[in-house]
Amino acid sequence: MTSSSRGSAAWLPADRWQDPERIERWRPLLERIEARMELRPEGPGASALQELVGGIKMLTGLSPSLTLKAGSPLLILGSPESAARSSGEWNTLPLAEEAYVLRIKMADEDGNQACPKAEYAILRGGSERGLLYGVFALLRLMGTQPHGPRESDIAEAPRNPLRMIDQWDNMDGSVERGYSGGSIFYRDNRILPESDRIIGYARLLASVGINAISVNNVNVHREETKLITSSLLPDVKRLSDIFGRYGIRMFLSANYAAPLELGGLDTADPLNEDVKQWWRRKAEEIYAAVPELGGFVVKADSENRPGPFTYGRDHADGANLLADALAPYGGTVMWRCFVYDCHQDWRDRSTDRARAAYDHFRDLDGRFRDNVILQIKNGPMDFQVREPVSPLFGAMPQTNQVMEFQIAQEYTGQQRDVCFLVPQWKKSLDFDTFLNGAGSTVKQIAAGKVHPFTRSGVAAVSNIGDDDNWTGHHLAQANLFGFGRLAWNPDLESDVIAAEWSALTFGVDTPAAKFVEELLLESWPVYESYTAPLGVGWMVQPHYHYAVDVDGYEYSKWGTYHFADRTGIGVDRTMATGTGYVGQYAAENRDIYESPAECPDELLLFFHHVPYTHVLKSGKTVIQHIYDSRFEGAEKVERWIARWRELESEADHERFLHILRRLEGQAENAKQWRDVVNTYFYRKSGIPDERERMLYA
Amino acid sequence: MTSSSRGSAAWLPADRWQDPERIERWRPLLERIEARMELRPEGPGASALQELVGGIKMLTGLSPSLTLKAGSPLLILGSPESAARSSGEWNTLPLAEEAYVLRIKMADEDGNQACPKAEYAILRGGSERGLLYGVFALLRLMGTQPHGPRESDIAEAPRNPLRMIDQWDNMDGSVERGYSGGSIFYRDNRILPESDRIIGYARLLASVGINAISVNNVNVHREETKLITSSLLPDVKRLSDIFGRYGIRMFLSANYAAPLELGGLDTADPLNEDVKQWWRRKAEEIYAAVPELGGFVVKADSENRPGPFTYGRDHADGANLLADALAPYGGTVMWRCFVYDCHQDWRDRSTDRARAAYDHFRDLDGRFRDNVILQIKNGPMDFQVREPVSPLFGAMPQTNQVMEFQIAQEYTGQQRDVCFLVPQWKKSLDFDTFLNGAGSTVKQIAAGKVHPFTRSGVAAVSNIGDDDNWTGHHLAQANLFGFGRLAWNPDLESDVIAAEWSALTFGVDTPAAKFVEELLLESWPVYESYTAPLGVGWMVQPHYHYAVDVDGYEYSKWGTYHFADRTGIGVDRTMATGTGYVGQYAAENRDIYESPAECPDELLLFFHHVPYTHVLKSGKTVIQHIYDSRFEGAEKVERWIARWRELESEADHERFLHILRRLEGQAENAKQWRDVVNTYFYRKSGIPDERERMLYA
């Protein structure tokens, strides 16, 4: 393979195994496949077969013979006679639609032979989609087990009903907060024809279990507003069909002001009868063209987008308007809660952007239709390197919710710096909100296990573009992979996910894969250690959000401040003396966040304004922590580079150089952050570094 | 007139006088004109007649009868018989090419009559161009004398040989650092056809004596590089002809790398024979198409532009290469000295961008051809609200120089805030460099009176675009007017220029004109008082350069720092302890700048790092000066608004509202600057305001 096509294959099978013994061990499963299913040409079942046969060929060079029989979605790999001996329970267990079971049987069960071979495998899906997920699971097994198959009984169903990706692609071909080139979907205000890139993306998403995608930016501009008009709906249908082949339901981001922009109405008031009628007819038209459409994603009354506030209505009125229109067709409204005052006066320290989502939405609980889902960003601010969990999540027992993450590394290195976000997401998912007693973790709420949600799950902003390797930085692929894996099963450990991706990408058990796994796991703490400290956030160049600018947002309208002066830093969000934001949490968390002594170090400055001399739980003062961690972070990146250089012969040259150049860029960025942050705080505090390192007074 | 066309007329005659007596007093001069000249259809003489007749009609409604006779450029207004009695000396005085003499004779010389009338006027030009300048002078007199003509003998010649405007227009239609819409010259990478806007601009420039213009951005991109190719030269010629009618010689900004980009050579080494030959042939081709072309403006080795440094050559080599090619055709090379390291490391406090031009060019004195002019920005940095004069100006006795100003208000309010720059320019022009003894002022050097320059003068970056009123803010027209007036005669006082422009624009002796004059004169100090203090510069948002961002450039690669810490602020550029920049001045200035006690307050932080508690000559501490002046500046803008509101009935409504809206925007900007700068320094210094005003700790 050229490394170029290797980049575009991402973690899917691409390289032939070099070890003949490994092929031998799998061979009994790979030469004969019996498929029991109805083979619809455009269905996920057909894709499952295609992926399995193609994957086997890629990895081993073998070309399985294929027998097709009627029946429930089920595949037998290897001898059907042996498989027939398999236990009836396994074959007849009732499965959820997206679930699969996979039994791999070894010829020599005690495994004492020098080269144990597989005997047969049975893969059943709860549906064609379940089968597809099972095929990808099997291919992942093949790619991640170094020595060959092992006797296995695997039964899996996704924990989150909705596992969604949001594209922020614009029809002019740009991608908002995109760091990987242009859109694979649009150019020059047209939807592009079917392409290897679009199909390839659908394959990648399905391979990690994603089952929904919204294909245009939540900021819906003039051209994208037209996606729901008769001139574009045939192209929308074409796109939806591609995703449909991989079991992915497509959504559109809708413009709340569409009745004005498209309908010629003079209002978009959600209680106006003409407006309701317009949306009803529009939904009828849309679903006539695209019957399987998932529904709408809506960003309303947010960052200057239109919304119900214009008409003195609330968000329940706004969301229900669309929900009622979509309901007859089974459509869903994903209503984003990223609503805050983006014209804040920095002089006013009583207003707190962190409070906004909760203050706007909490009291509307119970007012939303059943086919509305509130989409809530993981933190109360905006995808910073470190934030507490949004207190709104789980706080509305009668309202469907999904948590929204950002795979695109807007504030976390922009796919120029490595920042593997799985550990960050797990921190949110594992967070216990205590909103329905202990154990009310975010992941349980998202899975619909805490409140009686009818629709729920997780969504995330995509990080891909038309760069050959999809994600700009090759290692940023791990975040897309990792989001899908976590969305499927939030209990998966970060190291398992990192190891899977590294093995699938750099070869199982290779020195490169091992180092990359280690680097990925270190990368989020490292990125945090040279950027904004202790949960205070931002300190980035306005608009760009990559390079350091400590005061970049300090006197802006965006509500994102650190309040550093010559004696201290941080935002007082306590109930006692601050903005009262802490009061939005359940008592168990409230008590911890309210107290500077109890508050976790990494969130201290998010919740408290403290002197530079405040002593952290770590035993260090705040100022010394700032100095130490900036120095350590930048040093760590240098050590990565040194180690990566040693691995030159272990990775294909183009990919080696690509990663080296990115790491070198990251080292520059880390040094600039280190020196600017340290100098800024030294000039402001006057407190020298205990270890007398260079501070550029 | 509609106020819209009033805006586009700028200060040229547009409104009919309302006072019949005023017309009566001038009438004897305005009914009969005898022109003694050869009338070439495309010459400045024809333009002079056209302007005179058109201007008279606009202001008075009169239509003069015109008699044309052979002879030197001379106009007789009123009775030729009376004029014949005029003294012979006046009529035969040998005049420089651009000079004019104007005699206005009153019917009743003692002026005791109730309504004294003019008898005749004689206007002679040293050439058609001199005559054109005389006509505009006469129209200006008509517009600025409230009660009618006065007996006058005026003899004027411009003090600066070169009085040049630089457009920073790009062929895509944008204007770099343009704050008045798009280009009037280009769109979609084509030169626009002749238009009222282009002609109107030529008229405006000629009316204040501008005699040269460079029509494309000094940053010469791919498309503009092609201006010197056969496909575009016919359009260049067409443009040049328009300016030629108004006595303005056109230049082009040239790309130093043209031999590579256009010529297919693999080098632009100035000592390479192929390169020399390429430029010689190119010059031959250019001048065959545009024989009157003034020459090239070149920005080389500056802010990532190509230049001789690439080939290990110096700027004399580079400039002479082009100069030799242009010499056979009388062409001139304007070689910009804006050369500095734009990849500076902010950590390195020994490097000083202010030193760069002098360090790069000073020792090349004597090495440049006679048709090279070094174009030197007025200050050593970059058009800040306050800078010392560039020490390079006048420091190369054997090298032609022009001083470059910026009419475009890049760092001085971007034509959203009022900032009348004439007083700032005069400060530079009046500065005594002592480089050839006392009296070696910048204006004398520019005029070629100190060193034996063969070519010299002043140049400035234009502030116009295709906005109807040319300059975005209507009052910004005064800067374009003022630059021309000062270029013609640097001894003109700021108040005279402000009064002329205000009277020509808002009517002589009107309350609006009087207030605008006052506002203009206050505006530079006011802009300075709410922005970066005491000469330290910047504190603006990177790239945009308008809104406040105190640390915006503090940790950047641009070499523009303030070094504020918790105890003090400023850049130590002394010889004793600093970067040594002070040593680039003659002893008389050096001694003043080296000493914090002697250094003028307004430049203190440009030359010295001092504690916030340092006491200024004004008796205030630095920190109290920062607080006081920020508060006063913002207050002043509020007072302007209050006063302007009172004048609502005194200006046409559209212009009234336009100026009101801009002033309101300026008030917002001033408040943001005030509060951010004050809060920044209060947080850093911990020193409260003596007067206990709000500092937003």
Side-chain angles (χ1 to χ4, degrees), chain B residues 11-78:
Chain B
W11 57 82
L12 295 178
D15 295 329
R16 181 77 51 86
W17 292 340
Q18 300 302 308
D19 174 8
E21 205 170 88
R22 193 172 168 200
I23 297 178
E24 282 317 303
R25 293 179 188 203
W26 280 97
R27 181 186 289 274
L29 305 187
L30 308 183
E31 296 190 311
R32 275 167 71 185
I33 300 175
E34 183 177 310
R36 301 190 185 169
M37 58 192 293
E38 182 198 358
L39 197 63
R40 298 178 303 121
E42 297 283 288
S47 300
L49 275 187
Q50 199 178 328
E51 292 295 331
L52 183 58
V53 172
I56 288 170
K57 178 134 184 100
M58 279 288 185
L59 297 175
T60 65
L62 300 171
S63 291
S65 72
L66 195 59
T67 318
L68 200 62
K69 297 189 177 175
S72 66
L74 181 147
L75 301 179
I76 299 168
L77 291 85

Side-chain angles (χ1 to χ4, degrees), chain A residues 347 555 566 672 675, chain B residues 347 555 566 672 675 683:
Chain A
R347 300 164 185 85
Y555 304 98
R566 70 199 318 252
Q672 176 73 357
D675 291 340
Chain B
R347 300 165 185 83
Y555 305 98
R566 72 201 317 254
Q672 176 73 356
D675 292 340
R683 285 187 186 174

